[in-house]
Amino acid sequence: QAQLVESGGGLVQPGGSLRLSCVVSGITLDYYAIGWFRQAPGKEREFVAHISWSGGSTSYADSVKGRFTISRDNAKNTGYRQMNSLKPGDRAVYYCAARLSGRYDLEASYDYWGQGTQVTVSS
């Protein structure tokens, strides 16, 4: 059974940076694309970023474009997201997920999910 474990969340001041990791076990990550989603308090979960299985293609939500960078290391079965210039509006629980096919921005396309990691942006 696949297991995805996110880490790296925490409290950061506005303008600060965080790097989230998503360690995957139980599946061969080489075949899976990785997506990142987030859910802010009182809101629905939303798409944040996606990286293809090879790492050759990435996509970002407009709200994070230019500030967040997604990457992966298949040898380590790990995905990463570097978040810079964080804003209070980025406060949310962040989830990583893995999928074989389907639209990258749809939750229903993803086969496996992590438990989420909290990111709080506050002074």
Side-chain angles (χ1 to χ4, degrees):
Q1 185 68 22
Q3 186 175 20
L4 283 68
V5 179
E6 301 98 335
S7 62
L11 173 64
V12 64
Q13 292 186 343
S17 299
L18 282 174
R19 189 191 194 205
L20 303 187
S21 298
C22 174
V23 179
V24 182
S25 60
I27 57 173
T28 302
L29 191 59
D30 299 36
Y31 305 126
Y32 289 80
I34 299 173
W36 289 89
F37 291 75
R38 68 183 180 185
Q39 187 167 21
K43 295 186 178 181
E44 294 186 352
R45 192 155 57 183
E46 63 176 2
F47 168 76
V48 175
H50 158 267
I51 186 167
S52 63
W53 66 270
S54 67
S57 176
T58 57
S59 300
Y60 298 90
D62 288 343
S63 58
V64 306
K65 202 172 291 183
R67 299 188 297 123
F68 291 10
T69 303
I70 190 171
S71 60
R72 63 189 293 160
D73 185 339
N74 286 351
K76 296 182 178 179
N77 254 29
T78 302
Y80 303 98
R81 192 174 76 252
Q82 178 69 37
M83 305 188 296
N84 298 327
S85 303
L86 283 162
K87 306 174 181 179
D90 294 319
R91 177 193 177 199
V93 177
Y94 285 76
Y95 300 88
C96 67
R99 67 175 182 85
L100 285 174
S101 62
R103 276 181 54 175
Y104 62 77
D105 58 342
L106 293 182
E107 291 185 49
S109 297
Y110 288 82
D111 305 292
Y112 304 104
W113 289 83
Q115 83 289 349
T117 185
Q118 177 72 49
V119 171
T120 302
V121 184
S122 175
S123 55

